[in-house]
Amino acid sequence: MLNTDKQIKLEECIREILNLLGENPARNGLLHTPKRVAKSLDFITSGYYEDPKNVLNDALFESTNNEMVLIKNIEFYSLCEHHLLPIIGRAHVAYIPNGKVVGLSKIPRMVDIFARRLQIQEQLTEQIAQAIEECINPQGVGVVLEARHMCMEMRGVGKINSITTTSALRGIFLKKHETRKEFFDLINASKVNSF
Ligand SMILES: [Zn+2]
């Protein structure tokens, strides 16, 4: 979290970056920029201070439901750990219960906690699947992430609008073809195609 010491140090670093970029941090438009950047960096990396497992464990309920629970189109924003540039995406998260279900709003919250850290998409996908597996102990879990990477679009290869898809399948989603197909069919139904 942002205490005064961390705030001041971050502001100094950002002022130094502005200098190195050839800017004048003392000019009017940039005067409060270090403070704003420090605050926004703190917010978009606030996932380091929360434990996603606590969020899930706080809202577990007994259930006899053994049908697929799917939450689609969970928007997330992250930062790539290689360039510190945004990753903008959507997560689709499903599981088949095994005696326990989790409060629905907890899944997007957990996605946010993992996303608000420096990430690569593959690892983010795995972490979401892993947390569900460990906390809910379901028959299976499926996670698909679709994302745009600003480090691919704004620099480097300059591939605007390319979308990276990653998936993590565990348990019955991996073993049973029908379950996997149901999951992907449900994701693809009424799909939002732009973000
Ligand atoms: Zn990157």
Side-chain angles (χ1 to χ4, degrees):
M1 287 295 158
L2 203 53
N3 55 38
T4 317
D5 188 44
K6 183 172 164 188
Q7 166 96 32
I8 290 168
K9 282 182 181 155
L10 275 171
E11 286 181 28
E12 280 167 7
C13 294
I14 293 149
R15 230 171 266 118
E16 181 62 18
I17 289 172
L18 289 172
N19 270 323
L20 289 168
L21 296 176
E23 264 292 356
N24 170 16
R27 76 173 168 85
N28 227 359
L30 293 178
L31 213 52
H32 301 293
T33 298
K35 191 183 196 171
R36 291 191 206 100
V37 175
K39 283 197 168 146
S40 85
L41 275 178
D42 184 62
F43 175 73
I44 57 188
T45 59
S46 57
Y48 288 116
Y49 308 103
E50 286 183 274
D51 186 345
K53 287 181 196 154
N54 288 345
V55 170
L56 295 180
N57 286 331
D58 271 358
L60 289 179
F61 308 101
E62 306 271 315
S63 171
T64 53
N65 174 36
N66 56 7
E67 297 295 327
M68 189 178 298
V69 180
L70 165 67
I71 305 180
K72 273 181 17 170
N73 296 320
I74 304 167
E75 286 175 9
F76 69 86
Y77 299 87
S78 190
L79 278 187
C80 86
E81 67 184 25
H82 299 142
H83 306 93
L84 303 188
L85 286 171
I87 303 171
I88 304 163
R90 277 193 306 253
H92 314 289
V93 179
Y95 68 97
I96 296 186
N98 187 20
K100 271 188 286 185
V101 293
V102 68
L104 290 178
S105 67
K106 304 300 173 185
I107 298 221
R109 263 203 72 199
M110 174 208 40
V111 170
D112 275 344
I113 293 172
F114 282 126
R116 286 180 186 148
R117 299 176 182 186
L118 303 186
Q119 282 289 7
I120 60 170
Q121 187 176 331
E122 297 87 334
Q123 175 179 271
L124 178 58
T125 315
E126 285 292 320
Q127 286 175 338
I128 295 167
Q130 184 80 22
I132 291 182
E133 193 168 45
E134 284 176 19
C135 295
I136 312 176
N137 191 27
Q139 296 182 53
V141 52
V143 178
V144 168
L145 261 54
E146 301 171 288
R148 292 175 58 192
H149 292 247
M150 290 309 115
C151 61
M152 276 177 70
E153 300 195 17
M154 296 170 70
R155 55 166 290 288
V157 288
K159 294 298 178 207
I160 293 170
N161 289 327
S162 66
I163 292 172
T164 304
T165 303
T166 46
S167 65
L169 303 170
R170 306 280 170 89
I172 201 170
F173 285 73
L174 203 58
K175 286 181 221 137
K176 210 166 150 196
H177 169 74
E178 293 79 14
T179 306
R180 199 161 56 237
K181 185 174 182 313
E182 183 188 351
F183 175 49
F184 285 109
D185 285 352
L186 285 169
I187 292 177
N188 288 326
S190 68
K191 193 166 181 172
V192 189
N193 275 319
S194 62
F195 59 93

